[in-house]
């Protein structure tokens, strides 16, 4: 009977056949241990010389790393293995022999592993991170579907620059200038006026010359947008959503978190509501802590975000940033014109900003003025302004960066391991 590793628990005591690859192997004169992987999971196959035909034992002894095989064996419960099962092998049929697989069980440098990303994905740790990424994606759809949101897909080829013009990927759209999307937000605002509560989930492009552990050139963003939601309502959606995805991973990815040695007690604590600190207080806090390189009006760098995050064991909202360091579309504070109704959500443990969000300007004249101030007054924004001409309402939304969130939850230091094929400042291969 053909099955997969994840399904073997249904076949205890039975003989099954699994299509698999040899992840690793150990053998002596009398016994061979095959570490098998099939994409669904990892299991150990035990081949005892005295119990199988000689040709099977020889095949098991000589099989090379990453050779593909059909393995036949009896499923046994095994309390010593974290997976709980092993295979008493009765047959090994080689499908294709792998010769000189470049990634061996010894330690390799990161650049080497990145050059071999197409193969590195097969390793246990990378497999676990991809499974956690998959669970975050699955839980995202569940959360928004269960809370009355519709998924809307904004375009990838656009004529506008919601987050500023300095990091755009320019391309030609026949004779016109176009850019790869750096945020679907403006289109999601239009969609919210049609469908009420919407979310997008798509690729985002930033030609940022940043080479940090938090920056990708191409990353995936989830962007919810809600009509009639004001600043406070927006934060509640964010803390509930983030708690939900973290708890979904804790519940459904126990094995993967174990493989990654993740401290799960830190994740179990992540429950809404989240603490909040105003930008004003955050600056005071940093100055008191001895950071004399930052003053009111400056944007935070990674060390500042980490210092603030260290005071909490939860993600923390930093609210009400200065107008001057935020995009044109943010609604001003009702009593102060120097700050806007926005918040960034900073993850614990030094993973930095995972969400940027705000209430949006809904007044036509104010939005027009802001576009002018940012030198964005052009035909490309005509439709966006028009949203404020026909039944404009208060509305809010946010964007969560998938890779930073996956890096945090899986405890992976660098975002490059949180995406299958990272696009980095100096990397377009593989
Ligand atoms: O703060 P950002 O730039 O916000 C926006 O784009 C808004 N238009 C979203 C909205 O309100 N609909 O980006 C949102 C999030 C960040 O908090 C971060 O998690 C992630 O996207 N992000 C990046 N992730 C990886 N690499 C980069 N270069 C990133 N830039 C932003
Ligand atoms: Mg931001």
């Amino acid at each position: 009977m053909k099955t997969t590793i994840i399904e073997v628990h249904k076949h205890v005591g039975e003989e099954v056949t699994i299509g698999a690859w040899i992840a690793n192997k150990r053998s002596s004169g009398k016994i061979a241990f095959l570490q098998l992987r099939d994409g669904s999971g990892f299991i150990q196959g035990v081949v005892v010389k005295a119990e199988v035909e000689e040709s099977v034992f020889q095949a098991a002894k000589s099989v090379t790393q990453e050779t593909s095989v059909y393995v036949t064996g009896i499923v046994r419960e095994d309390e010593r293995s974290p997976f709980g099962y092993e295979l008493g092998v009765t047959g090994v049929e080689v499908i294709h022999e792998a010769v000189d697989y470049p990634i061996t069980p010894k330690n390799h440098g990161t650049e080497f592993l990145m050059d071999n990303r197409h193969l590195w994905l097969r390793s246990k740790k990378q497999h676990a991170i991809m499974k956690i990424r998959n669970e975050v994606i699955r839980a995202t759809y569940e959360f928004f579907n269960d809370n009355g949101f519709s998924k809307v897909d904004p375009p990838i080829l656009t004529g506008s620059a919601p987050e500023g013009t300095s990091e755009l990927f320019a391309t030609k759209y026949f004779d016109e200038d176009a850019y790869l999307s750096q945020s679907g937000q403006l289109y999601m605002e239009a969609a919210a006026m049609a469908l009420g509560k919407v979310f997008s989930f798509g690729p985002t492009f930033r030609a940022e010359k940043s080479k940090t552990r938090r920056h990708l050139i191409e990353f995936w963003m989830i962007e919810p947008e809600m009509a009639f939601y004001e600043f406070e309502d927006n934060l509640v959606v964010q803390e509930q959503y983030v708690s939900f995805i973290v708890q979904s991973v804790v519940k459904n990815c126990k094995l993967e978190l174990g493989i990654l040695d993740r401290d799960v007690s830190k994740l179990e604590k992540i429950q809404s509501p989240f603490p909040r600190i105003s930008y004003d207080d955050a600056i005071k806090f940093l100055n008191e802590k001895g950071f004399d390189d930052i003053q009111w009006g400056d944007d935070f760098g990674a060390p500042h975000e980490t210092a603030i995050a260290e005071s909490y064991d939860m993600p923390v909202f930093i609210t009400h940033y200065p107008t001057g360091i935020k995009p044109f579309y943010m609604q001003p504070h009702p009593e102060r014109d120097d700050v806007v109704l926005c918040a960034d959500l900073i993850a614990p443990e030094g993973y930095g900003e995972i969400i940027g969000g705000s209430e949006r300007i809904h007044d036509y004249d104010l939005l027009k003025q802001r576009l002018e101030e940012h030198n964005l007054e052009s035909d490309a924004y005509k439709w966006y302004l028009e949203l404020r001409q026909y039944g404009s309402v208060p509305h809010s939304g946010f964007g969560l960066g998938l890779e930073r969130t996956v890096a945090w939850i899986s405890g992976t230091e660098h975002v490059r391991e949180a995406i299958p094929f990272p696009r980095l400042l100096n990397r377009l291969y593989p």
Side-chain angles (χ1 to χ4, degrees), residues 162-163 167 182-186 188-189 200 204-208 210 212-225 234 326-327 329-330 343-345 351-358 360 396-405 415 423:
E163 301 301 312
E167 300 165 354
Q182 56 168 201
S183 163
Q185 180 196 318
L186 306 190
M188 297 311 288
E189 290 184 50
S200 67
T204 306
F205 305 87
R206 304 261 169 109
E208 268 181 89
S210 308
T212 79
R213 66 188 190 92
R214 296 170 180 179
H215 285 91
L216 292 161
I217 305 298
E218 178 181 308
F219 64 97
W220 287 66
M221 186 153 56
I222 293 110
E223 294 191 272
E225 193 71 33
N234 193 20
K326 286 293 177 189
Y329 52 71
M330 291 187 179
D344 283 358
L345 185 67
Y351 286 91
E353 178 202 321
I354 54 170
I355 288 183
S358 70
R360 324 303 192 187
S396 303
F398 63 95
L400 173 133
L402 178 62
E403 289 75 17
R404 287 191 193 173
T405 306
V415 284
R423 269 54 189 121

Side-chain angles (χ1 to χ4, degrees), residues 161-162 164-165 328 370-381:
T165 49
F328 69 91
R370 284 279 199 272
L371 282 167
E372 280 161 13
E373 286 164 7
H374 284 80
N375 296 319
L376 292 171
E377 243 282 16
S378 77
D379 282 353
Y381 297 89

Side-chain angles (χ1 to χ4, degrees), residues 192-205:
M193 301 306 133
L195 292 136
K197 292 199 285 185
V198 293
F199 75 107
S200 67
F201 196 147
T204 306
F205 305 87

